[in-house]
């Protein structure tokens, strides 16, 4: 008799119980896949946008000034600083349009903006455009000026992008941020700039990247911890199922031992059954999770980052980890099964 074939038969004989046990693992694995995948996708989006910044420094008003806009005199000092070149200004301000608060962002670098439709000029994020019912050609009133929307951006935000010169004019020639490249080490130039100009905060590109990386690491850890709770529930159900299986098959196990099967073989069969439950549950969970990731990627417009959201290591880790945990969960029931007294087991009804 093949004990491993017997393990398959045990799963088939108790289809409903086996399915419910695997359901816990499926939910746990699928949750891990979706949370980790979406977090990885969002991290890739932010990292790509951050690394695409073509500057070494960002200069903004110091927190002590109480304003998020830099006056024209300070901006002129920054732009005239000898260790900076290729400076760019950006003016950002809030504006309420049809009861919704939007961030109006001035820009001259339209290549950085991903357009869903239309052309640069006056571009609105697609989510807020859908909410307000705007499309290309719709009229929008910003700071008393009526403008026609020329494009819809792919970004899922609530921003309206206009030319920097116009945004600056609307805010009395003030700017929110100045970006620049540096002659020499960015960190050294940043320290000197803060000291020489005053009333400004200067961050280097590496500061920004490190900040994004730290945020991404924390998000990934948080998502993994939440998802692990779901998988833990599935693993506990494996322990419960294997215990009940051993109790119900006590007489059967006694017969097997009476005809010559060793404790090691009995234990191996029980562990194999637990591993099969974990493996099948993990494979189905990965499939369900992958479907969820694809669906959410379409909703969040992350389809360009599918390889980062659904990496091979995540699939392999989910299946291998769940199978291993299920085997470990079946260890104690397997030990009990292997140590059954033959006479007492045969007396069991």
């Amino acid at each position: 008799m093949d004990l491993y074939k017997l393990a398959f038969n045990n799963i088939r004989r108790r289809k409903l119980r086996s399915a419910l046990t695997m359901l816990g693992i499926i939910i746990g694995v699928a949750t891990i896949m979706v949370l980790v995948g979406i977090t990885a996708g969002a991290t890739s989006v932010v990292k790509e946008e951050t690394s695409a910044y073509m500057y070494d420094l960002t200069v903004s008003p110091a927190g002590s000034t109480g304003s998020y806009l830099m006056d024209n005199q300070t901006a002129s000092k920054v732009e005239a600083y000898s260790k900076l070149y290729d400076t760019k200004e950006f003016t950002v301000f809030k504006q309420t349009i049809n009861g919704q608060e939007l961030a109006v962002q001035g820009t001259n670098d339209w290549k950085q903006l991903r357009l869903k439709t239309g052309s640069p000029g006056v571009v609105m994020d697609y989510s807020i455009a859908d909410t307000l019912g705007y499309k290309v050609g719709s009229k929008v009133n910003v700071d008393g000026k009526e403008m026609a929307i020329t494009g819809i951006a792919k970004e899922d935000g609530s921003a309206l992008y206009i030319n920097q010169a116009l945004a600056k004019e609307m805010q009395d020639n003030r700017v929110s941020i100045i970006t620049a490249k540096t002659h020499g080490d960015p960190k050294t130039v940043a320290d000197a700039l803060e000291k020489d100009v005053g009333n400004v905060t200067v961050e280097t590109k590496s500061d920004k990247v490190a900040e994004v990386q730290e945020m991404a690491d924390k998000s990934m850890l948080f998502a993994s911890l939440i998802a692990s709770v779901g998988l833990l529930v599935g693993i506990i159900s494996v322990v419960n199922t294997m215990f009940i299986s051993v109790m119900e098959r006590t007489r059967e196990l006694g017969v097997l031992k009476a005809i010559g099967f060793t404790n090691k073989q009995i234990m191996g069969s029980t562990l194999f059954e637990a591993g099969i439950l974990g493996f099948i549950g993990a494979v189905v969970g990965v499939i369900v999770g992958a479907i969820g990731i694809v669906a959410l990627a379409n909703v969040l417009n992350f389809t360009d980052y599918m390889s980062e959201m659904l990496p091979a290591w995540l699939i392999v880790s989910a299946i291998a980890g769940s199978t291993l945990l299920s085997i470990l969960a079946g260890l104690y029931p397997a030990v009990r099964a292997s140590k059954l007294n033959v006479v007492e087991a045969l007396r069991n009804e």
Side-chain angles (χ1 to χ4, degrees):
M1 183 182 294
D2 187 342
L3 282 175
Y4 299 103
K5 186 176 179 182
L6 183 62
F8 275 114
N9 290 336
N10 287 332
I11 294 174
R12 278 206 297 258
R13 278 188 297 175
R14 301 171 179 84
K15 291 178 183 173
L16 180 58
R17 186 193 300 163
S18 299
L20 291 175
T21 300
M22 285 188 282
L23 182 61
I25 298 172
I26 291 168
I27 293 172
V29 171
T31 306
I32 286 177
M33 292 287 294
V34 171
L35 287 179
V36 175
I38 293 300
T39 304
T43 302
S44 297
V45 171
V46 175
K47 280 184 177 178
E48 184 177 296
E49 291 187 357
T50 304
S51 59
Y53 293 158
M54 301 299 289
Y55 62 76
D56 295 326
L57 300 179
T58 59
V59 185
S60 56
S64 57
T65 63
S67 173
Y68 63 90
L69 290 168
M70 194 185 308
D71 63 70
N72 196 36
Q73 187 178 8
T74 303
S76 297
K77 284 184 181 178
V78 172
E79 290 172 340
Y81 201 67
S82 60
K83 295 178 181 176
L84 301 182
Y85 70 100
D86 198 14
T87 57
K88 290 184 175 65
E89 297 177 338
F90 298 91
T91 298
V92 182
F93 59 95
K94 300 289 185 183
Q95 185 78 184
T96 301
I97 297 175
N98 287 353
Q100 296 283 332
E101 190 175 69
L102 278 71
V104 180
Q105 299 185 24
T107 181
N108 287 322
D109 192 4
W110 290 101
K111 291 181 181 177
Q112 294 291 324
L113 191 64
R114 298 179 302 163
L115 288 177
K116 192 172 183 179
T117 184
S119 58
V122 180
V123 177
M124 186 176 283
D125 285 341
Y126 80 91
S127 55
I128 192 68
D130 287 344
T131 302
L132 297 177
Y134 286 118
K135 56 186 180 181
V136 174
S138 299
K139 301 290 185 183
V140 60
N141 193 302
V142 180
D143 203 32
K145 293 182 181 291
E146 188 176 76
M147 297 177 287
I149 293 176
T150 61
I152 302 295
K154 288 184 177 180
E155 273 69 15
D156 180 18
S158 56
L160 178 72
Y161 308 89
I162 61 177
N163 285 314
Q164 167 59 21
L166 180 57
K168 186 176 178 181
E169 180 187 330
M170 289 177 172
Q171 294 300 303
D172 300 325
N173 290 320
R174 294 179 296 172
V175 299
S176 304
I177 292 173
I178 295 175
T179 64
K181 293 182 179 177
T182 62
H183 295 294
D185 175 55
K187 181 62 178 172
T188 304
V189 175
D191 293 340
L193 183 61
E194 281 188 340
K195 183 179 177 182
D196 294 343
V197 175
N199 291 328
V200 294
T201 297
V202 186
E203 286 186 295
T204 64
K205 182 178 175 180
S206 58
D207 291 336
K208 285 282 187 185
V209 172
E211 188 179 308
V212 170
Q213 184 64 54
E214 183 182 357
M215 184 178 65
D217 291 344
K218 287 180 179 178
S219 299
M220 185 74 81
L221 178 63
F222 183 67
S224 300
L225 288 175
I226 291 178
S228 297
V229 174
L231 183 59
L232 180 63
V233 173
I235 297 304
I236 290 173
S237 67
V238 173
V239 178
N240 184 52
T241 297
M242 295 313 299
F243 259 124
I244 294 174
S245 177
V246 170
M247 289 173 61
E248 290 181 344
R249 295 166 54 213
T250 299
R251 185 178 177 81
E252 178 186 318
L253 293 171
V255 172
L256 292 174
K257 295 184 80 171
I259 62 176
F261 284 96
T262 64
N263 290 349
K264 191 175 179 181
Q265 288 174 313
I266 297 292
M267 186 175 174
S269 172
T270 308
L271 289 177
F272 184 72
E273 186 177 335
I276 287 296
L277 288 172
F279 177 76
I280 296 174
V283 170
V284 177
V286 165
I287 294 171
V288 173
I291 293 171
I293 287 173
V294 171
L296 284 173
N298 281 296
V299 172
L300 299 173
N301 204 22
F302 284 179
T303 50
D304 292 342
Y305 304 93
M306 285 305 300
S307 59
E308 288 88 348
M309 296 170 70
L310 205 52
W313 67 263
L314 180 59
I315 295 172
V316 173
S317 300
I319 294 175
S322 299
T323 304
L324 180 62
L325 286 174
S326 296
I327 292 173
L328 292 175
L331 190 59
Y332 184 59
V335 170
R336 287 197 58 177
S338 69
K339 290 184 176 178
L340 281 175
N341 182 281
V342 177
V343 176
E344 291 180 0
L346 291 174
R347 286 177 180 169
N348 189 69
E349 294 297 334

